[in-house]
Amino acid sequence: PRGGCQSLRNGRAGLTMTITRRSLLAALPAAASLAALAACGSVPPTRYYTLARPAPAAAGAPPWPLLVLAPVRLPELLDRPQRVRRLSPTQVQIDDYALWAQPLREEIAAAVAADLTARWPTLVVDVRAAAPVANAPRLQLQVDQFETDGREAAVAMQWFVQGGGASPRQGQVRGQAALAGPGDDAAVAALGLALSRACADLAVALR
């Protein structure tokens, strides 16, 4: 009968639709897993960097036996875990897979302290004092530039020193260094060298 055939066709259609939906639902987890594996395969590894610390030659007696290095000030653009690359005068790139091993302000402070004590071996640089220390000058650094552009690294800092018998003084120092090659390793090495060159001018200014 026509009605019976129609019911049979409807039943088969419903069965086919049910099987198709079940097949799709069963395949979804597998497809999601494959997509996740493919995505994981394309994600680059995260790399952690510290600044290279070149060993400058000793430069005689320091102007003071103790120097307090205040917390380094960074612009908001640089005050982040990721390394910042300069792509153009109006564009930067923030790399989520090239990170500083510790906060950049602490990395710079440690590198500056190591550089100054290498130049003046008898100098003690205190980078942990939160407040002024009696009879010790306090050096404040404000970083204005700390970046690479694919060709060279550039560092620019303002400095202020006062207290501990030192007459208040201020100035600005800069350092540049060419990149030895492509990639983050060469860029970070050049940043360390540029910072050391800025410290050379800082040491001259502090005397």
Side-chain angles (χ1 to χ4, degrees):
R2 182 176 299 178
C5 292
Q6 184 66 35
S7 298
L8 181 59
R9 283 195 293 268
N10 291 340
R12 287 177 177 173
L15 179 60
T16 302
M17 186 177 295
T18 301
I19 293 174
T20 303
R21 286 178 177 175
R22 287 177 179 173
S23 301
L24 287 173
L25 290 174
L28 282 176
S33 299
L34 290 173
L37 287 173
C40 289
S42 64
V43 173
T46 301
R47 302 173 302 279
Y48 295 89
Y49 290 95
T50 61
L51 289 171
R53 298 173 187 175
W64 318 281
L66 173 64
L67 176 65
V68 175
L69 182 56
V72 174
R73 296 174 180 171
L74 292 175
E76 187 174 352
L77 173 63
L78 297 175
D79 193 12
R80 64 184 70 241
Q82 301 93 335
R83 201 173 78 75
V84 178
R85 300 187 189 91
R86 174 64 60 180
L87 300 181
S88 74
T90 58
Q91 186 179 14
V92 297
Q93 181 184 54
I94 298 173
D95 191 341
D96 288 329
Y97 300 101
L99 309 179
W100 295 109
Q102 62 178 334
L104 182 56
R105 62 178 70 249
E106 296 178 13
E107 191 68 34
I108 292 175
V112 170
D115 191 279
L116 292 180
T117 53
R119 296 177 192 279
W120 296 319
T122 60
L123 175 68
V124 175
V125 179
D126 187 345
V127 297
R128 300 188 179 277
V133 176
N135 301 320
R138 184 176 178 87
L139 175 64
Q140 176 73 65
L141 297 176
Q142 178 175 313
V143 177
D144 297 323
Q145 185 180 25
F146 196 85
E147 60 190 26
T148 60
D149 63 0
R151 299 183 305 276
E152 68 176 13
V155 173
M157 302 185 296
Q158 298 181 57
W159 61 269
F160 312 85
V161 66
Q162 62 180 354
S167 58
R169 287 178 287 163
Q170 65 183 50
Q172 186 179 53
V173 292
R174 295 179 178 273
Q176 293 177 314
L179 272 64
D184 289 309
D185 291 356
V188 173
L191 281 169
L193 182 55
L195 179 59
S196 182
R197 289 173 177 172
C199 286
D201 290 344
L202 176 62
V204 172
L206 290 177
R207 292 195 67 86

